[in-house]
Amino acid sequence: MRQILFAGAIGLFLTLIGTPLLIKLLARKGYGQFIRDDGPRGHHGKRGTPTMGGIAFILATLIAYALAKVITGEKPSVSGLLVLFLMAGMGLVGFLDDYIKIVKQRSLGLRAKAKMAGQLIVGIAFAVLALQFKDVRGNAPASTKLSFVQDFGWSIGPVLFVVWALFMILAMSNGVNLTDGLDGLATGASVMVFGAYTFIGLWQFQESCADAPSLTNPEACFEVRDPLDLAVVAAALMGACFGFLWWNTSPAKIFMGDTGSLALGGALAGLAICSRTEFLMALLGGLFVLITMSVVIQVGSFKMTGKRVFKMAPLQHHFELKGWSEVLVVVRFWIIQGMCVIIGLGLFYAGWAADK
């Protein structure tokens, strides 16, 4: 429990004091955000706002996790390190994309094939490693079975697992990336999901099958390799994003860029895979799914009928063009995300209670 508190508090402190330093550095180098000319007119005034802010919470999370381990004298776990690897690796791909956009003055950043290749390399490495390093109970960080609140069904095998893990990683990374269109929207939504995973990891630790003899109902337990350390990682991310939100909320002094959105998406997917809550993630991260689906619907409708369903996609821009202020859209979308997290945690608890 102390690890969780230290990780969250240190992550929060580091981004609160570190982000303004990063803002000054990026502003001095002229690393400002490009704004699409076809987007809402109110966004044109944001051109030049420092971007690549994801650097702040990526570094803060890594440092917070490490310091929490040093302070408490606990050892890092394989599961925790793998999620951090996935976060940092995806963040590196996003950083290269942002860097090329800004420094090379190429609006699309990395070529599509190069960006996809980077994501695939990081994702495959994570998926393959997640099936290794079994503990004394035979549990690896990930399972080849699909999962909702726990594993279910037959094993899909290692090859299909890698494909499934890649789908989750790419889907969540792109989902956060699409959501990152308004000041604080993606950051605030991510804080809620990381808070949920802090709770889930702590609950799974308290009800771990490793301690089955001491539980009231040994059958209602969780076969997760390192649940407490996943909670530590989630708490570090929650604290780091919370501190970043202070500077990212409207009017934003800095944007997370692809550096941050790909990193957050990777971390979310990694936590879902390692905590055996893969399908539950679709609900816990409901806002990201909703916004991604709005783009899929818009593109699909235009290709099939030549007509658009929304005034603009992603969904948040549709409501801006309908006359909603940016802050109004963000707050209402946060409410939607909060409801998704509450329902998701309710189903998580209900699934455990049903087994009891």
Side-chain angles (χ1 to χ4, degrees):
M1 189 64 176
R2 288 195 308 146
Q3 296 180 69
I4 295 173
L5 294 175
F6 280 128
I10 295 171
L12 173 64
F13 175 75
L14 289 177
T15 46
L16 278 175
I17 65 168
T19 304
L21 300 177
L22 180 62
I23 292 172
K24 291 180 181 179
L25 174 63
L26 294 173
R28 187 162 57 245
K29 290 183 174 294
Y31 291 174
Q33 176 71 39
F34 284 101
I35 301 296
R36 290 169 52 184
D37 292 330
D38 60 342
R41 292 182 180 180
H43 290 206
H44 293 174
K46 300 181 181 182
R47 182 175 281 110
T49 301
T51 187
M52 296 194 292
I55 295 172
F57 56 73
I58 291 172
L59 291 178
T61 299
L62 295 173
I63 295 171
Y65 177 82
L67 288 180
K69 294 298 178 183
V70 171
I71 294 171
T72 60
E74 300 290 339
K75 294 181 179 179
S77 74
V78 174
S79 299
L81 292 176
L82 279 174
V83 174
L84 292 175
F85 161 76
L86 183 58
M87 175 196 71
M90 296 297 286
L92 178 59
V93 175
F95 172 80
L96 293 174
D97 189 44
D98 286 334
Y99 185 81
I100 291 173
K101 287 178 185 176
I102 297 166
V103 177
K104 302 298 183 181
Q105 297 293 303
R106 196 167 80 202
S107 60
L108 295 179
L110 278 173
R111 304 294 182 190
K113 290 183 179 179
K115 189 174 183 179
M116 179 60 72
Q119 291 176 300
L120 289 176
I121 290 171
V122 175
I124 290 173
F126 167 83
V128 171
L129 290 172
L131 293 178
Q132 314 303 318
F133 309 106
K134 293 183 179 181
D135 62 11
V136 293
R137 295 180 57 83
N139 289 320
S143 169
T144 55
K145 291 184 178 181
L146 299 178
S147 60
F148 182 57
V149 297
Q150 295 192 62
D151 289 346
F152 67 85
W154 300 98
S155 170
I156 61 175
V159 175
L160 285 181
F161 167 77
V162 171
V163 175
W164 169 238
L166 281 175
F167 170 77
M168 286 196 63
I169 293 166
L170 294 176
M172 288 309 303
S173 296
N174 289 316
V176 178
N177 185 256
L178 291 170
T179 304
D180 183 36
L182 301 182
D183 295 354
L185 179 57
T187 309
S190 297
V191 167
M192 298 181 205
V193 187
F194 289 131
Y197 270 107
T198 302
F199 171 83
I200 287 172
L202 184 58
W203 190 273
Q204 289 177 332
F205 172 71
Q206 293 174 338
E207 301 293 331
S208 172
C209 291
D211 300 320
S214 64
L215 299 178
T216 304
N217 184 359
E219 295 180 0
C221 63
F222 296 94
E223 283 287 8
V224 177
R225 190 188 190 284
D226 306 297
L228 182 61
D229 214 38
L230 293 176
V232 174
V233 172
L237 280 159
M238 178 179 65
C241 286
F242 220 150
F244 182 76
L245 183 61
W246 181 271
W247 305 101
N248 183 234
T249 194
S250 184
K253 300 295 188 296
I254 188 170
F255 300 139
M256 69 170 68
D258 282 7
T259 305
S261 61
L262 295 188
L264 292 182
L268 290 170
L271 286 169
I273 292 168
C274 291
S275 65
R276 315 287 174 85
T277 56
E278 296 157 358
F279 283 107
L280 185 64
M281 168 54 75
L283 185 53
L284 290 173
L287 181 64
F288 304 127
V289 175
L290 179 64
I291 287 176
T292 301
M293 289 307 300
S294 74
V295 175
V296 173
I297 292 170
Q298 184 85 324
V299 174
S301 176
F302 187 76
K303 286 186 176 181
M304 289 188 293
T305 68
K307 297 181 180 180
R308 293 180 172 86
V309 176
F310 307 105
K311 290 179 178 293
M312 185 178 180
L315 187 61
Q316 62 268 34
H317 299 317
H318 166 79
F319 288 103
E320 279 192 290
L321 294 178
K322 284 180 67 69
W324 292 18
S325 70
E326 180 174 359
V327 173
L328 181 62
V329 175
V330 169
V331 172
R332 286 181 173 173
F333 275 38
W334 279 351
I335 292 172
I336 293 172
Q337 176 57 44
M339 292 171 61
C340 290
V341 166
I342 291 171
I343 295 171
L345 288 177
L347 289 175
F348 174 80
Y349 178 79
W352 172 80
D355 289 337
K356 286 183 73 67

